[in-house]
Amino acid sequence: MRKLLLLVWMILMSLGAVAQKMSEKSLKNGYISNLIKRMTLEEKAGQLWQVAGSFATGPDGNNLGSLKAIAEGKVGSVLNVSGVKNIRKYQEAAMQSRLKIPLIFGMDVIHGFRTGFPIPLAEASSFDQQEIQKGARWTGTEAAASGLNWTFAPMVDVGWDARWGRVMEGAGEDPFYGSQVAVARVKGLQGDDLASTNTIMACVKHFAGYGAPIAGKDYNSVDMSMGHFANFYMPPYKAAAEAGAATFMSAFNDFNNIPSTANNFLLRSLLKEKWNFNGFIVSDWGSVGELINHRVAGNKKEAANIAIMAGLDMEMVSNCYIENLVDLVKEKKVSINVVDDAVRRILNKKYELGLFEDPFRYCDENREKEFVESAKSREVARSLSERSIVLLKKQENILPFSKNLKSVALIGPLAKSKKDMCGAWSTANVNNVITLYDAMKNRGVQVNYAQGYDLESNQIVNYDSTLLAIEKSDVVVVAIGERASESGEMRSKTDISIALQQQELVSKLVKTGKPVVVLLMCGRPVIFNEVRDKASNILLTWWLGSEAGPAICNVLWGDYNPSGKLPMTFPRNMGQIPINYQYKSTGRPYPGDWSAKYIDSPVEPAYPFGYGLSYTTFKYSNLKVISDNLNKGTHAKISVDVTNTGQYDGEEVVQLYIRDEVASVTRPIKELKGFQKINLKKGNTQTVVFDITDNQLGFYDNNINYIVEKGDFTVMVGGDSENLSMKKFNLK
Ligand code: GLC
């Protein structure tokens, strides 16, 4: 009887929860519908406009004085304003408008807010979704405490081409892993409730295919088959939408001949209809106005027409909508229903943020003091920074340093550069960045610093003082790389090599005979073949943000054993680009005399996707496919034993790849389908089990239908995408 009563109670409770959800939804819908009914056409056009900071300037530079426009109900959102005091001023202007519709405030909070986190590509090297989600959680907390409701992140564009400077902003080359990271970032930023005062809306960008510009040139055209897009570039956008991302951003680029900002297939058919996306889509900066530059619109009115009809809801900065939508509706070129749908999508999010209930709910100066640049933020940033470091080369037992190490020759201006530690797209408080030089001094070791090379010219300078510093020191740590300003938006390069003079300096340092550790600081895969050959120990530290110095020191001295893995292939030379591990067999698979290769270079990269060493070593054995005849709708359990065979406890990212041996379309020679980051004490062995469903073995056809075909598959497991043990299994 008791069980029956308990069951009845549980059913009633769940029905109650469902009923409550439904009532909340109908309350919201009723409120928004009533508000829309009261809005004039001009006020509706206003909700679809996002203006920038102190004054709204469009691509033609006209200055509309945003506070006045806001008070007249002509603006729905403001970007690039933060700080409770500033935001309150803008919201107060909105409260002067007739209907007092609150503004939403957006900003590019890409990797941390005032506390700088590692650049996203560095975070992706951690292969630690929990840490990445936690980083996004604290990023959202700081941003919300600063009055913001919305960040233009995560950038989820898959990238195979390191010439493109914005690879620093994403999660690298793999669609499966990029999907996992996208979900972690959306969930971290948005939490469970947008109305909570420590969460902000995510904005999935840039939709779509922005990471594949022809020739790696930013903003350039993107042209790919639908099958290629669906299998290699689409998954992270889809995963982020399914994770409940509140907004999307259209990309600058055209996608198969139609600019994304006016691309009906992308915005309406795929995102809003096929994926049932109920949030709203904002353009990229001025990209509605730029439809004129794309030469698909003759003027702002035509640009407004094709963009709103394609499903672009909010215009960022350019002013085509605010100047033309009223006329377009009056001239019956645009249905009021199209405008109302865009308005509803935006008002829904303002409602969910709690801004109608209290327009100033995010403007609490005490909360700003408590959470912005908090000690907890820095602790989370440091932990993620340590996990983002990738050990590329380790010889001669130089690393980790002994705790008794007395003196270090620290060479290179990047070791002292607070600004460069922040990387591109940083909103961090640069003054509070702890550099490697600061952190080493704080560690109490004697630091003999020498500039080594000039950061602007890269020329070797004051080599005598460098030698002097080395003579006085037990070991040498040299920081080389590109400037933070060399990656990010509009930072495409025709050569991603580290400056030859910097590489020449490292060779000279190695010749001194003192132990040398090279730190590679950059925002993208780079080419550094001379250093790669000559140096015995190389750590890739990317740009790690506010806690860069302490994190690098913790790894150098072994307080943290590096566990990072490459989320992007590092090419051997420029000719190999674009390069990724998911290439296809072709009809003449490499190796072979007449096969897909070069006559002037190996095909193998410098470092493959998923590669990264540890201070310890791991052995893989006993790979088993527990159920090797998969019936549709069942699972294949794959198990492998991993043993820590070295002298240190350490973490390993165990990676699982599959190969579809025969399919109705050409398939990659391998695809990542699972990874587990395990922590193994020295001498211990752990059996790692993956659970692969038949659904994970499928692919998209050229009509973007997901297909699962029977047949033979090979499963491969290892610590990177090259060194793998393999077994076959069959899907019935
Ligand atoms: C930029 C970027 C986009 C960013 C936006 C607002 O041009 O392409 O990623 O969110 O403008 O700053």
Side-chain angles (χ1 to χ4, degrees):
M1 184 59 179
R2 274 168 52 83
K3 277 188 180 170
L4 180 64
L5 284 174
L6 181 64
L7 182 64
V8 167
W9 180 79
M10 285 171 71
I11 290 170
L12 288 173
M13 287 306 287
S14 55
L15 284 174
V18 170
Q20 189 194 346
K21 272 269 180 240
M22 285 172 69
S23 71
E24 282 168 5
K25 192 168 179 195
S26 60
L27 196 63
K28 175 180 79 172
N29 292 343
Y31 181 90
I32 300 299
S33 299
N34 177 37
L35 180 54
I36 290 175
K37 280 194 194 106
R38 295 158 53 208
M39 293 171 77
T40 64
L41 185 50
E42 289 71 13
E43 288 165 334
K44 290 176 181 178
Q47 284 303 307
L48 310 190
W49 191 26
Q50 179 180 59
V51 302
S54 52
F55 288 97
T57 51
D60 49 9
N62 66 317
N63 177 331
L64 289 158
S66 55
L67 284 179
K68 178 172 174 295
I70 291 168
E72 291 166 355
K74 287 181 180 167
V75 177
S77 172
V78 173
L79 85 148
N80 292 350
V81 170
S82 67
V84 165
K85 281 202 178 73
N86 296 331
I87 283 182
R88 180 176 289 278
K89 183 177 72 174
Y90 282 86
Q91 199 67 291
E92 280 165 353
M95 291 305 112
Q96 294 164 30
S97 64
R98 185 176 76 89
L99 291 172
K100 300 183 181 358
I101 297 175
L103 297 165
I104 41 177
F105 295 89
M107 182 177 261
D108 294 285
V109 181
I110 308 297
H111 48 108
F113 182 50
R114 300 297 286 154
T115 303
F117 277 65
I119 57 171
L121 191 61
E123 287 188 358
S125 306
S126 70
F127 275 80
D128 190 327
Q129 289 151 281
Q130 278 185 324
E131 286 286 314
I132 292 172
Q133 184 162 332
K134 200 192 305 180
R137 182 81 296 282
W138 280 92
T139 296
T141 298
E142 277 203 26
S146 230
L148 290 166
N149 323 112
W150 183 20
T151 176
F152 306 120
M155 183 275 222
V156 304
D157 303 311
V158 166
W160 295 0
D161 190 331
R163 292 174 295 182
W164 187 53
R166 297 194 77 164
V167 291
M168 57 71 55
E169 218 175 320
E173 71 187 57
D174 184 79
F176 170 82
Y177 180 53
S179 302
Q180 311 286 314
V181 173
V183 170
R185 287 184 172 144
V186 167
K187 289 186 173 174
L189 291 166
Q190 297 190 163
D192 300 326
D193 177 8
L194 283 180
S196 162
T197 52
N198 68 351
T199 59
I200 54 175
M201 292 197 299
C203 182
V204 182
K205 68 185 189 182
H206 305 75
F207 197 56
Y210 183 34
I214 293 170
K217 188 165 55 177
D218 205 355
Y219 313 130
N220 205 6
S221 286
V222 168
D223 194 12
M224 59 178 75
S225 70
M226 213 39 95
H228 189 74
F229 167 67
N231 287 294
F232 294 108
Y233 288 85
M234 185 182 79
Y237 302 116
K238 184 171 186 287
E242 288 166 352
T247 68
F248 264 64
M249 180 185 289
S250 67
F252 283 127
N253 54 282
D254 63 347
F255 177 81
N256 292 345
N257 304 322
I258 299 175
S260 302
T261 300
N263 194 307
N264 194 69
F265 162 73
L266 288 177
L267 307 185
R268 279 202 194 284
S269 310
L270 188 60
L271 180 54
K272 290 183 174 178
E273 291 162 17
K274 192 173 178 91
W275 296 348
N276 197 25
F277 173 66
N278 62 17
F280 69 86
I281 306 169
V282 65
S283 76
D284 201 335
W285 183 286
S287 66
V288 174
E290 289 173 6
L291 294 172
I292 300 167
N293 301 339
H294 278 286
R295 302 195 358 257
V296 294
N299 53 52
K300 287 190 191 178
K301 189 169 186 178
E302 287 175 14
N305 191 347
I306 60 175
I308 191 85
M309 292 306 287
L312 192 283
D313 301 304
M314 181 184 278
E315 179 177 10
M316 181 187 284
V317 173
S318 53
N319 35 38
C320 305
Y321 280 17
I322 195 70
E323 290 181 358
N324 295 289
L325 271 185
V326 172
D327 292 344
L328 285 166
V329 171
K330 287 177 178 169
E331 294 160 15
K332 301 201 181 312
K333 289 180 181 156
V334 171
S335 154
I336 186 62
N337 297 333
V338 169
V339 173
D340 283 353
D341 177 62
V343 172
R344 177 180 301 280
R345 288 170 179 270
I346 292 162
L347 295 182
N348 277 345
K349 292 307 167 195
K350 293 186 176 183
Y351 186 97
E352 290 167 29
L353 284 162
L355 288 169
F356 283 109
E357 195 183 312
D358 174 6
F360 300 98
R361 70 185 288 112
Y362 294 91
C363 299
D364 178 330
E365 290 183 51
N366 293 329
R367 194 164 56 231
E368 187 172 38
K369 286 193 190 77
E370 182 185 355
F371 287 105
V372 177
E373 288 201 76
S374 69
K376 179 64 181 171
S377 261
R378 292 193 77 103
E379 181 197 315
V380 173
R382 188 179 60 252
S383 171
L384 195 44
S385 299
E386 288 166 355
R387 284 158 175 74
S388 303
I389 292 171
V390 184
L391 178 58
L392 296 178
K393 193 171 180 182
K394 177 182 180 307
Q395 285 174 351
E396 302 155 13
N397 286 330
I398 294 173
L399 287 172
F401 291 157
S402 151
K403 298 288 190 275
N404 307 321
L405 182 68
K406 294 276 182 297
S407 56
V408 177
L410 180 59
I411 316 293
L414 289 176
K416 282 191 166 184
S417 170
K418 288 176 180 281
K419 183 152 179 46
D420 286 300
M421 284 311 111
C422 297
W425 283 115
S426 175
T427 48
N429 179 349
V430 178
N431 301 323
N432 292 347
V433 168
I434 305 175
T435 64
L436 178 57
Y437 177 77
D438 303 335
M440 273 198 188
K441 300 283 281 184
N442 297 343
R443 225 184 152 91
V445 72
Q446 184 193 325
V447 183
N448 301 311
Y449 173 78
Q451 186 183 2
Y453 60 92
D454 175 81
L455 207 43
E456 294 308 318
S457 68
N458 290 309
Q459 294 301 331
I460 295 174
V461 294
N462 309 327
Y463 189 60
D464 292 347
S465 56
T466 299
L467 283 178
L468 202 60
I470 290 172
E471 274 162 30
K472 293 189 289 185
S473 308
D474 300 329
V475 296
V476 181
V477 174
V478 55
I480 60 169
E482 58 172 11
R483 302 292 310 264
S485 57
E486 294 181 58
S487 56
E489 183 176 353
M490 224 300 286
R491 296 292 186 274
S492 289
K493 285 183 161 183
T494 58
D495 186 352
I496 59 170
S497 303
I498 294 299
L500 294 182
Q501 303 92 323
Q502 290 186 24
Q503 297 196 60
E504 185 194 323
L505 173 65
V506 170
S507 298
K508 291 165 78 82
L509 300 182
V510 169
K511 280 193 191 118
T512 64
K514 280 281 172 72
V516 175
V517 175
V518 176
L519 303 179
L520 197 51
M521 300 179 166
C522 52
R524 61 173 14 116
V526 288
I527 294 167
F528 55 105
N529 293 327
E530 184 176 343
V531 169
R532 192 161 63 88
D533 294 341
K534 300 273 179 58
S536 58
N537 290 268
I538 306 171
L539 281 162
L540 169 63
T541 67
W542 303 107
W543 296 122
L544 296 172
S546 302
E547 287 285 317
I552 295 170
C553 282
N554 287 349
V555 166
L556 286 171
W557 270 271
D559 300 328
Y560 182 76
N561 181 354
S563 62
K565 299 283 186 177
L566 295 179
M568 254 187 107
T569 301
F570 271 52
R572 188 184 293 266
N573 54 53
M574 291 305 294
Q576 292 184 328
I577 294 175
I579 185 171
N580 72 318
Y581 83 91
Q582 285 186 317
Y583 54 88
K584 299 196 173 173
S585 308
T586 76
R588 297 192 172 186
Y590 173 79
D593 289 345
W594 297 84
S595 69
K597 63 179 183 180
Y598 305 102
I599 59 169
D600 62 350
S601 159
V603 291
E604 292 79 7
Y607 297 103
F609 174 85
Y611 172 87
L613 302 177
S614 167
Y615 291 150
T616 190
T617 48
F618 297 99
K619 178 168 75 72
Y620 285 74
S621 60
N622 209 9
L623 173 62
K624 283 185 203 154
V625 179
I626 295 166
S627 52
D628 59 4
N629 272 329
L630 253 174
N631 294 313
K632 281 209 167 183
T634 60
H635 297 219
K637 286 210 188 304
I638 318 285
S639 81
V640 67
D641 291 344
V642 185
T643 304
N644 180 339
T645 49
Q647 298 309 309
Y648 299 91
D649 299 347
E651 292 161 288
E652 170 67 328
V653 180
V654 183
Q655 302 157 46
L656 178 134
Y657 299 83
I658 62 117
R659 177 167 54 236
D660 187 345
E661 291 301 344
V662 178
S664 55
V665 298
T666 54
R667 310 280 295 114
I669 60 151
K670 65 186 81 156
E671 299 168 78
L672 183 70
K673 289 296 178 187
F675 61 91
Q676 293 183 38
K677 188 160 192 175
I678 63 171
N679 203 330
L680 263 185
K681 293 204 175 307
K682 61 185 179 189
N684 283 11
T685 295
Q686 180 175 332
T687 299
V688 179
V689 179
F690 291 94
D691 186 0
I692 296 289
T693 63
D694 63 325
N695 198 46
Q696 286 176 274
L697 303 173
F699 59 89
Y700 289 97
D701 68 13
N702 287 341
N703 298 313
I704 308 197
N705 299 312
Y706 194 70
I707 312 278
V708 177
E709 292 177 338
K710 294 182 292 189
D712 289 338
F713 290 81
T714 298
V715 65
M716 298 162 264
V717 179
D720 64 53
S721 59
E722 293 287 340
N723 302 300
L724 296 161
S725 344
M726 44 186 82
K727 282 266 185 197
K728 285 203 184 307
F729 67 91
N730 176 277
L731 174 61
K732 279 189 175 333

